[in-house]
Amino acid sequence: MALITKIARAAAAAALVSAAALTVTARPAAADLGPPPGCQRGHFCVSGGPDSPTGWSTAGNWTGSVYGVFLFNNGYPYPGADHVDVTYYRAQDGSGPYTRCVHYYPGPGEYYLYTPNDPVEIVRVRWRGEC
């Protein structure tokens, strides 16, 4: 019986250590989100979520069609060209177009758009000055 108790305690301790490790490596609160994995500095990036790899990015103006739920401006601070106007449609109902100005990271303004339950089709990215 003593051996079973020691094994149970060891298993419980191991579980606590694992849980603590997960807590330490957990993603920060939404207000503190950083760039998605693979989003290079100087790029506007699109991914499937904050922890999903960057699926598409651009360092310049762009027109086309790409889908995503996490849009992130990882541009450099550069007066006159560090914010991004992103034009998109809501994929669920096709409404739009909508245009939002996204500040560069980390900045005092909105530097990402996250729509986890409503993917968007991005059709245009234009670098610009202040929003």
Side-chain angles (χ1 to χ4, degrees), residues 26-130:
R27 190 93 183 147
D32 298 329
L33 290 178
C39 183
Q40 297 178 31
R41 191 73 170 147
H43 285 237
F44 179 79
C45 303
V46 177
S47 73
D51 295 319
S52 297
T54 296
W56 177 88
S57 70
T58 184
N61 293 336
W62 173 87
T63 302
S65 177
V66 65
Y67 289 85
V69 297
F70 190 63
L71 292 61
F72 195 92
N73 181 357
N74 202 19
Y76 293 105
Y78 189 84
D82 54 6
H83 294 68
V84 172
D85 269 345
V86 57
T87 303
Y88 61 93
Y89 291 85
R90 291 181 57 203
Q92 286 185 349
D93 62 12
S95 65
Y98 303 101
T99 300
R100 299 276 294 271
C101 183
V102 185
H103 197 277
Y104 66 89
Y105 171 79
E110 181 179 53
Y111 52 85
Y112 69 89
L113 301 175
Y114 185 35
T115 60
N117 299 315
D118 189 11
V120 295
E121 176 189 12
I122 298 96
V123 295
R124 183 174 154 218
V125 173
R126 291 287 178 259
W127 292 87
R128 59 170 280 180
E130 291 297 320

